[in-house]
Amino acid sequence: MPAHQLAPDISNDPADVLAAEQAHLADSRKALQAMREHAQSLSADAAGDWVSQQVLQSLLDKRVAALADHPDTPLFFGRLDRGTKDDLPGTIYVGRRHVHDGGSRPLVIDWRAPVSRPFYQASPADPMGVVRRRRFGYHGGALTAYEDEPLDQGGEIGPSKILTEEIERPRTGPMRDIVATIQPDQDAIVRAELGQTVCVQGAPGTGKTAVGLHRAAYLLFTHRERLARSGVMIVGPNRAFLSYISSVLPALGEVKVDQTTVADLLGASDAPEEPAVAALKGDARMAAVLERALWLHISKPEEGLVYTRGVHRFRVADYEVREIVASLRGTTRYAPGRAALAQRLAHQVLVRMEQRGDSPDDRVQDAVARSKPVKQLVDAVWPKVTPAQVLFRLLSDAEFLAKACHKSEISPDEQEMLLWRKPYRGWKSAKWSAADAALLDELADLIERTPSLGHLVVDEAQDLSEMQLRALGRRCRNGSATVLGDLAQGTTPWSTTSWKAVLRHLGQDEGEVTELTLGFRVPREVLDYAARLLPDVAPGLAPPQSLRPGLGSLSVRPGAAVTDAVHEALAREGSIGLIVPDALAAEVSGRLTGIPHAVLDPDSTEEDHRLLIVPATLAKGLEYDHVIVVEPAAIVAAEPRGLARLYVVLTRAVTSLTVLHDDPLPAALT
């Protein structure tokens, strides 16, 4: 291995140091290519059988994909010169993945490895055995600069120019990882133990989404085998958001993580519904109603069982059937209880066979359980039902709904709200709303247990109903979760005001709530302007702070033309988000004739245009270098929590925010 790869700098000349680091980068890229070629050369044919071959080939394909080089992103971004004498190298390069040479000596250490933690946590007060931390600056994938921070001399370290430039670097396309810029408070969240559920209240620009994604990558690295079996899932608010974050985990070497929306997870249900009705259906009180509605399908047995075998007839008395049903009811899920009823009836028949001197085995019991007399009795007493059948009956039959609501907190007036005004002909033709989807999922779990994942990352969790949270909680009942959001950005009729309540409905009561208030993305001038809305939107939250002053980043223009603002933004470097009231998206697009752009929709995949027209309801979680907001008053007027929506919209800018309006601004912004 060349001396410059592990030894301290042999020259104090910055040009020589940079050349040595560039050489190390070149050697590391060659080594990564060699690792990938080696993985590609391996064959699954050595496996003993076809099934083993398929499993091994899948593992090899994942390994090859994980070793892909991304020439436009840094392979490593930091270096640690250690003063501690131990078995570890004196110089460690910290990067996105582990890279070793032909002799298995590390050229780059994965940022998730324990030895890399000092890169994020070390300080002059606690150097963690590190003498010097070096940060690298890049243009594309080319190393262009470095910056040293001595950690063994006490005192304080000033702001890192490279770190600041990386945070402020103009961006286009999907979200990029923040692995090179993770701050100590963020790192503590990222490296939280797998068994710990973490809830992050994050002000705009604090990197909460990126922190959640990096925690997923960290847990996959640290608990690879366990999570490979149980799985990790990312749940976002819409497909446009998922497209925006889609490149983060692959850039960190994680190519097998499911990413979905609540709507896709629970099933496509988009029938229109009044907000008040949707809010009621999203209330956790509905869980008890659904459970009672399901078990109301069980009827009291009035007849016993008669099973004929040859010339013998075996009877199970009606009172014995009632005892069996009563012992099963409510002690198991509905479908397993139905199966157990058949088996217990069959067992009673076998007891009577043995009393006659027969010696039946398990095969006979299974045959009895599947026999016509047993099936007829089970169908009559414990009928087979689907979630859609139960919910259809609940929403279309006032008498049945009243029975299901008995002893519940659902009032008669609320019951009236739940009933369909024009019931569908049958459950198969019923059209379900988004709120219904969570109810159907609750019923499905009452009938058959929902499988649990190892870890769940939920973003924009403040916008989920209590029933949606219960649905997600079932997916991590045997695992843990990372819950991300901002109470000030709640825009649904059921938006939460308490993270403890969110954790309770997720079934993760022991989760830890932590807060990120220091922003890196949004300029201070812009953030302070948006924060004027907080007393109305979330009066209990402290105003967020930004490390970036951003003087001149805010422009509020009454009567200004959209096209003029767009041309000004296009003259600058970076992405542009033109955020408009949903109802004006087509009209504004028409004004931009001749200017290349695209209109974002909920199902949008990655767009190549620098300029995107973004309907206000899709802006959450996205960010752009330059944001132009059109008619804030119309955004506020479009929905009950319009001020919260406007707060979201005003905090999407990384470099500049321009507000255009003909109508008067909301009072808080004047």
Side-chain angles (χ1 to χ4, degrees), residues 623-643:
E623 60 183 39
Y624 304 92
D625 287 295
H626 308 287
V627 169
I628 303 169
V629 176
V630 176
E631 294 299 349
I635 293 174
V636 173
E639 53 187 310
R641 289 186 55 83
L643 280 175

Side-chain angles (χ1 to χ4, degrees), residues 6 8 79-94 109 114-116 118-119 127-133 151-152:
L6 293 177
R79 165 177 156 170
L80 299 174
D81 292 335
R82 305 175 67 254
T84 305
K85 293 183 179 180
D86 51 29
D87 295 335
L88 296 172
T91 297
I92 294 173
Y93 286 85
V94 180
I109 299 292
V115 73
S116 298
F119 180 76
M128 302 176 69
V130 176
V131 175
R132 177 177 62 186
R133 173 170 52 212
L151 300 176
D152 62 342

Side-chain angles (χ1 to χ4, degrees), residues 194-195 220 222-231 454 478-480:
L194 173 60
L220 283 164
T222 309
H223 305 278
R224 178 76 61 190
E225 185 174 342
R226 178 176 173 181
L227 291 179
R229 295 193 303 269
S230 56
N478 296 328
S480 58

Side-chain angles (χ1 to χ4, degrees), residues 561-571 576 578 592 595 611 628 660:
V562 172
T563 52
D564 292 342
V566 166
H567 282 300
E568 289 179 22
L570 287 170
I576 305 166
L578 179 55
L592 301 183
I595 302 176
L611 173 62
I628 303 169
L660 308 178

Side-chain angles (χ1 to χ4, degrees), residues 7 16 48 71 87 97 120 196 199 210 213 255 294 340 363 424 429 437 535 553 563 589 629 647 670:
D16 292 341
D87 295 335
R97 56 176 60 81
Y120 303 105
Q196 177 66 54
C199 178
L213 295 174
V255 295
L294 176 63
R363 290 175 296 179
Y424 299 95
S429 62
S553 58
T563 52
S589 178
V629 176
Y647 179 74
T670 57

Side-chain angles (χ1 to χ4, degrees), residues 528-599:
D528 289 347
Y529 180 72
R532 297 181 192 178
L533 299 173
L534 280 181
D536 295 314
V537 171
L541 290 183
Q545 300 176 350
S546 176
L547 285 178
R548 300 166 52 211
L551 296 177
S553 58
L554 174 66
S555 175
V556 181
R557 305 179 187 177
V562 172
T563 52
D564 292 342
V566 166
H567 282 300
E568 289 179 22
L570 287 170
R572 306 174 69 180
E573 187 178 6
S575 58
I576 305 166
L578 179 55
I579 306 180
V580 302
D582 288 32
L584 295 182
E587 177 187 333
V588 172
S589 178
R591 297 186 207 171
L592 301 183
T593 302
I595 302 176
H597 69 279
V599 179

Side-chain angles (χ1 to χ4, degrees), residues 391-611:
L391 189 57
F392 173 82
R393 185 179 178 189
L394 196 67
L395 300 182
S396 58
D397 185 336
E399 184 178 352
F400 181 70
L401 176 61
K403 288 181 180 179
C405 291
H406 180 61
K407 294 183 179 180
S408 77
E409 299 176 356
I410 305 295
S411 69
D413 288 343
E414 289 175 319
Q415 294 175 36
E416 183 66 25
M417 288 176 59
L418 289 171
L419 287 169
W420 280 324
R421 298 293 173 267
K422 295 181 179 180
Y424 299 95
R425 289 187 176 182
W427 64 272
K428 291 184 179 180
S429 62
K431 296 186 184 301
W432 306 107
S433 69
D436 290 332
L439 304 184
L440 291 168
D441 192 80
E442 182 89 17
L443 285 166
D445 184 70
L446 291 170
I447 295 171
E448 292 275 9
R449 185 180 180 88
T450 304
S452 176
L453 296 160
H455 193 75
L456 187 71
V457 178
V458 185
D459 206 351
E460 305 296 350
Q462 78 281 346
D463 277 344
L464 299 177
S465 72
E466 293 170 352
M467 293 302 292
Q468 288 173 329
L469 289 168
R470 287 175 60 88
L472 294 178
R474 289 189 280 276
R475 270 76 180 177
C476 61
R477 57 160 56 98
N478 296 328
S480 58
T482 301
V483 183
L484 311 165
D486 181 6
L487 298 180
Q489 297 186 53
T491 53
T492 57
W494 47 78
S495 295
T496 188
T497 58
S498 166
W499 287 121
K500 285 296 184 183
V502 168
L503 291 172
R504 183 174 69 254
H505 294 302
L506 274 174
Q508 300 285 335
D509 299 71
E510 301 301 316
E512 175 184 333
V513 181
T514 186
E515 190 170 1
L516 295 175
T517 59
L518 193 58
F520 307 92
R521 174 174 58 79
V522 185
R524 187 182 308 156
E525 188 176 14
V526 172
L527 200 57
D528 289 347
Y529 180 72
R532 297 181 192 178
L533 299 173
L534 280 181
D536 295 314
V537 171
L541 290 183
Q545 300 176 350
S546 176
L547 285 178
R548 300 166 52 211
L551 296 177
S553 58
L554 174 66
S555 175
V556 181
R557 305 179 187 177
V562 172
T563 52
D564 292 342
V566 166
H567 282 300
E568 289 179 22
L570 287 170
R572 306 174 69 180
E573 187 178 6
S575 58
I576 305 166
L578 179 55
I579 306 180
V580 302
D582 288 32
L584 295 182
E587 177 187 333
V588 172
S589 178
R591 297 186 207 171
L592 301 183
T593 302
I595 302 176
H597 69 279
V599 179
L600 194 68
D601 67 64
D603 297 325
S604 289
T605 56
E606 180 183 339
E607 296 283 0
D608 294 329
H609 293 282
R610 276 187 63 203
L611 173 62

Side-chain angles (χ1 to χ4, degrees), residues 213 216-217 220 231-234 249 254-260 457:
L213 295 174
L220 283 164
V232 174
M233 180 179 289
I234 312 292
L249 289 172
E254 299 300 338
V255 295
K256 188 59 178 176
V257 177
D258 291 330
Q259 300 187 22
T260 188
V457 178

